Each structure stands twice: as structure tokens, then as C-alpha cells.
């Protein structure tokens, strides 16, 4: 029997998985997440929504996205993972719509936007990016968006010929997208599919984060299943590809997955992950209850000596109260245990 957490962020009820749409918008951190409000199992996916001023204390808001259209309305599909960005003063969400309209499961990238950051309208021209030839329609998801100069970029997780990929797209208006290149891909050792890709620059290095599915054992820090991967290297502006220099696991346990980052107003790169993993959800290990799943504490990221360094977000220090301190204490009659 699981007790409801009071420290890490769970859902109010139902199932919760991937963090989505982390963004600082109009003075608050907005945090969206994969959500099934109807039961404690993965199923008909929505986007839950919460806001915070310190990334520690969260206020739940109404659902941001719910399955409703031909491209995202299916009982074993719905509104899958994605990200958020500010554009023209509005909060834009880009997410994966998943449906099954007689051609098998189809995943495509879709847009929704909001004036107030609470009530969202889906773009009438959805979907805006569809799976290209050679990429299975059920293995094309989880867009992460950012802006560089006057251009918006999105990286999507995909699979082609059994190898995982992060595919790069660009746009000038958030509605019309064109393929750029395969940003990075697995050579076979890092799974057949990359979920929840992320890309950013940190301490002079470019970083790709992905959650690989079904990795082969390397004999080092990876395991044969779903895991986390950090690639540190350099983005080649001419070829629009990422050149990896070093790789490492983001987390050594199996209770961390689908991590997403956001740049804080002070320039820090903050990461939150799902404090769970598909491996631990397998074999009927999910207990029956009103809720399941929660998020990790936010982590501050940096790079030192070519490795990703993670520390609990500094805002957590504000929870330390009622300090008890003893000084000049002498102990007598100490009993030796050896």
C-alpha cells in the first residue's frame, strides 16, 4: 500500500508519468505532465497542469489538454508528451497527438496555445508535423521546442530501421515546420527508440538528453531495458548535426525517466524527471489504487570535467527551519560496542 506523498509532486488522483512543457511564464513556473485522471493506470492520456513560484510548492490548475480531435482522441492514445514556449506573448504547447483511425497507431505533432496560460485552444491546422517515410507512425513523438535567434526548433524522438533517432525541425511561426536533419542517433547500443529528447547548451557544451527504450547491455552503466542517456558534445552549425564526445547515464537507478529541462530566469538549467520507469511498471507491479506515479525533485545541472553534474535545486534549502544546534557537549560513560 502506497501512502500519498507530501514532498514529491504526485497527481491529485489517477496516473501520472512524463513531465511536459516546463516553462517560466508570466512570473511562475508552469509544469505539465502526462495524466490519466480516471484511474491509477496508464491509459487515455491528458495533460495535467500545475504552477509554482519556487519549484517546490505547486498549485494544481485545470487540465490543459484533453483528447478531443481525430488526431488525438483514442482510448489507448490521447495527448502524449511535448513541451512549451512563449510566442507572440502567448503560451504555446507542442505535443504528440496519438490516434487509431484504422491505420494502426498514428503519432503526429500538434499545437495548442493560450493567452492566460490556463485555457488552451488547439490549432485548427493540426497536426503540424507527421511521421516521414521510413519512420513508423507509432514511433514518432515527444517534441521539445526552443528558439535560437529568429528561428524555432523542435527535436522529436523517433525510430528508423530499428535504430533510435532525434529528428530536428525548424519554423519561423510555430505553425509551419520543415525537416532539418537527424540531430543524433543510436548506433544500436542505445535502444531502438528515443523518448523525450532534449537539447540545450550548458557551460560551453551542447547536450542531448534522451530516454532510450530497450538498450543493449554495455557492461558499464547501462542496463538492458529502458534508461536515461546524456550525450555531451558540440552542435555542428553547418551540417545541423550533433557530434557526441562523451556519454553517461543521467541516473543509475530505474526510478528516473523522461526527464525534461527548463532555463530558469537566472540562467540555471533545471531538470525534472518522472520518478518511475516503464521497467518498474512491467509485470503487473503497479498496485491498485486511486493514484500512481510522481515526479523527482528539480535538479540544477552543470558540466564539470566533461560530465553532467546534478544537484538538488537550491530552493529546497528554504524548507530547512527550526534549526537545532548543540555546542560544547561532553559525552560520559560511553559504551563501546566492539
Amino acid at each position: 500500500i502506497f501512502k500519498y506523498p507530501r514532498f514529491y509532486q504526485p497527481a491529485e488522483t489517477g496516473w501520472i508519468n512524463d513531465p511536459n512543457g516546463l516553462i517560466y511564464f508570466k512570473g511562475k513556473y508552469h509544469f505539465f505532465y502526462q495524466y490519466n485522471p480516471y484511474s491509477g493506470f496508464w491509459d487515455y492520456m491528458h495533460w495535467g497542469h500545475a504552477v509554482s513560484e519556487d519549484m517546490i510548492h505547486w498549485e494544481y490548475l485545470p487540465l490543459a489538454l484533453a483528447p478531443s480531435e481525430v488526431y488525438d482522441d483514442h482510448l489507448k492514445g490521447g495527448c502524449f508528451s511535448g513541451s512549451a514556449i512563449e510566442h507572440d506573448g502567448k503560451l504555446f504547447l507542442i505535443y504528440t497527438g496519438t490516434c487509431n483511425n484504422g491505420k494502426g497507431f498514428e503519432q503526429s505533432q500538434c499545437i495548442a496555445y493560450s493567452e492566460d496560460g490556463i485555457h488552451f485552444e488547439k490549432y485548427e491546422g493540426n497536426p503540424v508535423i507527421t511521421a516521414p517515410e521510413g519512420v513508423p507512425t507509432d514511433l514518432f513523438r515527444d517534441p521539445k521546442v526552443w528558439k535560437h535567434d529568429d528561428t524555432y526548433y523542435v527535436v522529436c524522438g523517433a525510430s528508423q530501421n530499428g535504430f533510435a533517432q532525434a529528428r530536428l525541425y525548424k519554423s519561423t511561426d510555430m505553425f509551419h515546420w520543415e525537416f532539418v536533419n537527424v540531430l543524433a542517433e543510436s548506433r544500436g547500443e542505445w535502444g531502438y527508440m528515443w523518448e523525450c529528447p532534449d537539447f540545450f547548451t550548458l557551460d560551453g557544451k551542447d547536450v542531448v538528453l534522451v530516454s532510450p527504450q530497450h538498450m543493449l547491455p554495455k557492461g558499464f552503466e547501462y542496463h538492458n531495458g529502458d534508461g536515461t542517456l546524456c550525450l555531451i558534445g558540440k552542435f555542428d552549425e553547418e551540417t545541423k548535426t550533433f557530434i557526441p564526445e562523451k556519454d553517461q547515464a543521467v541516473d543509475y537507478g530505474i526510478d528516473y525517466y523522461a526527464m525534461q529541462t527548463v532555463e530558469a530566469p537566472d540562467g540555471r538549467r533545471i531538470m525534472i524527471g518522472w520518478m518511475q520507469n516503464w521497467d518498474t511498471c512491467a509485470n503487473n507491479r503497479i498496485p491498485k489504487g486511486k493514484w500512481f506515479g510522481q515526479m523527482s525533485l528539480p535538479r540544477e545541472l552543470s558540466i564539470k570535467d566533461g560530465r553532467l553534474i546534478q544537484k538538488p535545486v537550491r530552493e529546497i534549502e528554504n524548507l530547512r527551519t527550526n534549526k537545532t544546534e548543540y555546542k560544547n557537549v561532553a559525552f560520559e560513560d560511553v559504551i563501546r560496542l566492539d
Side-chain angles (χ1 to χ4, degrees), residues 174-234:
M174 283 293 297
F175 296 112
H176 302 89
W177 296 86
E178 62 178 285
F179 177 65
V180 177
N181 210 339
V182 175
L183 177 69
E185 58 187 333
S186 170
R187 299 184 298 271
E189 75 277 43
W190 293 323
Y192 79 98
M193 172 66 188
W194 280 352
E195 293 195 298
C196 303
D198 202 341
F199 178 72
F200 52 88
T201 298
L202 182 64
D203 296 335
K205 290 291 186 180
D206 294 317
V207 180
V208 171
L209 300 180
V210 292
S211 293
Q213 292 188 297
H214 297 185
M215 290 189 294
L216 296 175
K218 287 183 63 177
F220 295 101
E221 54 195 67
Y222 306 101
H223 61 91
N224 188 16
D226 298 345
T228 59
L229 173 66
C230 171
L231 299 174
I232 300 174
K234 192 66 179 177

Side-chain angles (χ1 to χ4, degrees), residues 160 164-168 179-185 240-242:
Q160 190 168 29
Q165 293 182 335
R167 301 180 67 89
L168 184 64
F179 177 65
V180 177
N181 210 339
V182 175
L183 177 69
E185 58 187 333
K240 303 300 183 184
T241 58
F242 175 80

Side-chain angles (χ1 to χ4, degrees), residues 29-300:
Y29 292 96
H30 286 251
F31 174 76
F32 304 86
Y33 47 90
Q34 288 288 274
Y35 185 39
N36 175 20
Y38 306 116
S39 74
F41 293 87
W42 181 91
D43 207 348
Y44 201 33
M45 298 316 298
H46 299 57
W47 274 35
H49 189 189
V51 294
S52 174
E53 295 181 354
D54 61 1
M55 295 179 285
I56 303 298
H57 303 89
W58 295 91
E59 173 191 354
Y60 291 101
L61 295 179
L63 288 171
L65 295 175
S68 63
E69 310 299 323
V70 65
Y71 52 80
D72 69 7
D73 191 5
H74 188 265
L75 287 177
K76 294 297 181 181
C79 302
F80 279 13
S81 293
S83 53
I85 198 168
E86 185 173 352
H87 172 61
D88 287 343
K90 300 177 183 179
L91 181 55
F92 272 65
L93 307 181
I94 181 165
Y95 71 97
T96 297
T98 303
C99 64
N100 189 330
N101 297 307
K103 299 179 181 179
F105 284 99
E106 298 177 85
Q107 297 175 347
S108 58
Q109 316 320 320
C110 307
I111 294 290
Y113 45 84
S114 170
E115 296 274 2
D116 60 6
I118 300 176
H119 305 92
F120 290 87
E121 177 182 350
K122 294 178 182 178
Y123 173 48
E124 62 182 11
N126 281 336
V128 296
I129 306 175
T130 56
E133 185 177 354
V135 172
T137 58
D138 61 342
L139 295 175
F140 182 61
R141 54 184 176 266
D142 309 338
K144 177 63 190 292
V145 63
W146 71 93
K147 187 177 183 181
H148 180 68
D149 294 333
D150 295 326
T151 303
Y152 295 95
Y153 291 93
V154 152
V155 62
C156 296
S159 179
Q160 190 168 29
N161 299 321
F163 296 99
Q165 293 182 335
R167 301 180 67 89
L168 184 64
Y169 295 80
K170 68 178 182 179
S171 172
T172 57
D173 62 3
M174 283 293 297
F175 296 112
H176 302 89
W177 296 86
E178 62 178 285
F179 177 65
V180 177
N181 210 339
V182 175
L183 177 69
E185 58 187 333
S186 170
R187 299 184 298 271
E189 75 277 43
W190 293 323
Y192 79 98
M193 172 66 188
W194 280 352
E195 293 195 298
C196 303
D198 202 341
F199 178 72
F200 52 88
T201 298
L202 182 64
D203 296 335
K205 290 291 186 180
D206 294 317
V207 180
V208 171
L209 300 180
V210 292
S211 293
Q213 292 188 297
H214 297 185
M215 290 189 294
L216 296 175
K218 287 183 63 177
F220 295 101
E221 54 195 67
Y222 306 101
H223 61 91
N224 188 16
D226 298 345
T228 59
L229 173 66
C230 171
L231 299 174
I232 300 174
K234 192 66 179 177
F235 179 68
D236 188 320
E237 287 284 353
E238 184 175 346
T239 63
K240 303 300 183 184
T241 58
F242 175 80
I243 303 171
E245 298 168 355
K246 293 188 178 181
D247 61 83
Q248 69 180 86
V250 176
D251 196 282
Y252 290 93
I254 59 172
D255 287 318
Y256 198 82
Y257 193 76
M259 55 278 168
Q260 188 172 110
T261 72
V262 61
E263 184 177 1
D266 58 9
R268 288 176 295 159
R269 177 65 55 171
I270 308 298
M271 178 176 71
I272 297 179
W274 178 36
M275 205 168 74
Q276 194 58 261
N277 185 298
W278 297 118
D279 286 353
T280 50
C281 293
N283 301 320
N284 297 316
R285 284 186 248 179
I286 302 174
K288 294 181 179 180
K290 296 180 180 180
W291 67 274
F292 183 81
Q294 59 201 81
M295 297 297 167
S296 72
L297 281 177
R299 304 177 181 183
E300 295 182 19

